[in-house]
C-alpha cells in the first residue's frame, strides 16, 4: 500500500470510530471507542508530521505555508484529544468534545484528501510513495499513542522526542490497562 492509500485508509478507520461512538450502547463502550480514537489519531498525526509533511514541504512549491496550516490543525486536534484522554467513562463533556473533534477531523481530512494528497501524488513517483507507505506501516508500530500538544511537530526535534513519547505512552497504557496495539 502506498503512503497516500495508507493515509486514506487511516481516515476511513477514524470515520468508522466516530460512527462506532454514536452507536455504542454504554458508557464503557463509548470510552473504549474514545481511547481507540485517541490512540489512532495520535499515531496518525505523529507519522504525518514526521514523514509525510516534510516530503510535502520539499516537493510542493507552496508546501511550507500549506503544511503550517495542517500543523496548526494538528495542534488543535491534539488539544481536543488530550482533553478527551483525561475524561473518564460517563463524563458529560465527552459527547461535546467528540462532536467538536469529529468536525475538526472532517475538515482536516477533506483538505488533505481533496488538496494536499493529490498534489503530493502528482509530485512524487510511485516508487517513493510505495517506499514511504512501507515506512509508515512499520513506524506506526512504534508511534506515540497519546496526544502531546507541547511536543515539537517537525523534524529534527520531533525525530528525537517521538520515540521517547511513544515509550512513555506505552508504559502509561500498560499501567492503565489500556489495550495494546
Amino acid at each position: 500500500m502506498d503512503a497516500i492509500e495508507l493515509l486514506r485508509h487511516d481516515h476511513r478507520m477514524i470515520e468508522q470510530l466516530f460512527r462506532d461512538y454514536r452507536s455504542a450502547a454504554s458508557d464503557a463502550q463509548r470510552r473504549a471507542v474514545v481511547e481507540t480514537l485517541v490512540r489512532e489519531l495520535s499515531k496518525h498525526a505523529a507519522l504525518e508530521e514526521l514523514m509525510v509533511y516534510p516530503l510535502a514541504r520539499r516537493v510542493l512549491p507552496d508546501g511550507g505555508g500549506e503544511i503550517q496550516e495542517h500543523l496548526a490543525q494538528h495542534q488543535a486536534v491534539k488539544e481536543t484529544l488530550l482533553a478527551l484522554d483525561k475524561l473518564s467513562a460517563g463524563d458529560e463533556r465527552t459527547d461535546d468534545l467528540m462532536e467538536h473533534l469529529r468536525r475538526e477531523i472532517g475538515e482536516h481530512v477533506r483538505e488533505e484528501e481533496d488538496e494536499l494528497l493529490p498534489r503530493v501524488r502528482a509530485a512524487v513517483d510511485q516508487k517513493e510513495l510505495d517506499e514511504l507507505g512501507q515506512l509508515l506501516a512499520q513506524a506506526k508500530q512504534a508511534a506515540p499513542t497519546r496526544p502531546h500538544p507541547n511536543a515539537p511537530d517537525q523534524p529534527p526535534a520531533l525525530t528525537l522526542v517521538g520515540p521517547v513519547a511513544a515509550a512513555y505512552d506505552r508504559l502509561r497504557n500498560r499501567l492503565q490497562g489500556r489495550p495494546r496495539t
Side-chain angles (χ1 to χ4, degrees):
M1 186 178 308
D2 80 24
I4 292 173
E5 291 169 358
L6 188 120
L7 294 174
R8 287 178 187 263
H9 178 268
D10 281 359
H11 294 162
R12 299 300 78 78
M13 179 186 55
I14 297 303
E15 290 166 353
Q16 181 60 51
L17 287 169
F18 283 114
R19 288 189 295 273
D20 292 347
Y21 178 82
R22 285 193 300 273
S23 65
S26 69
D27 288 341
Q29 287 177 343
R30 279 187 287 282
R31 185 65 205 166
V33 172
V34 167
E35 289 177 4
T36 302
L37 192 61
V38 166
R39 180 184 66 231
E40 294 304 320
L41 279 171
S42 295
K43 290 175 5 177
H44 180 84
L47 294 178
E48 281 186 337
E49 292 167 5
L50 182 62
M51 302 169 86
V52 178
Y53 290 170
L55 171 66
R57 191 183 302 264
R58 180 172 50 85
V59 301
L60 299 178
D62 59 342
E66 187 171 356
I67 295 308
Q68 280 309 116
E69 290 177 29
H70 284 281
L71 290 171
Q73 291 172 346
H74 274 208
Q75 182 64 28
V77 165
K78 288 178 197 176
E79 291 171 6
T80 304
L81 289 173
L82 184 62
L84 277 166
D85 197 39
K86 290 179 178 181
L87 301 179
S88 58
D91 191 300
E92 62 189 34
R93 296 170 289 180
T94 305
D95 286 346
D96 289 341
L97 281 171
M98 283 293 287
E99 180 57 26
H100 177 73
L101 181 64
R102 188 190 62 75
R103 287 191 310 269
E104 283 179 317
I105 294 299
E107 178 183 334
H108 181 71
V109 165
R110 273 189 302 281
E111 288 177 10
E112 276 191 356
E113 291 189 359
D114 293 348
E115 299 167 25
L116 179 67
L117 296 178
R119 292 176 55 225
V120 169
R121 182 175 293 288
V124 178
D125 68 34
Q126 188 60 47
K127 183 179 182 221
E128 189 171 359
L129 288 174
D130 290 340
E131 290 170 357
L132 181 58
Q134 288 178 340
L135 291 172
L136 285 169
Q138 291 169 353
K140 197 174 210 182
Q141 302 306 311
T145 60
R146 303 281 184 102
H148 296 277
N150 297 320
D153 58 9
Q154 297 178 54
L158 176 60
T159 309
L160 299 172
V161 172
V164 174
Y168 176 70
D169 292 348
R170 282 170 174 68
L171 176 62
R172 283 178 58 203
N173 292 345
R174 211 169 291 129
L175 293 173
Q176 292 176 349
R178 291 190 180 190
R180 297 181 199 191
T181 54

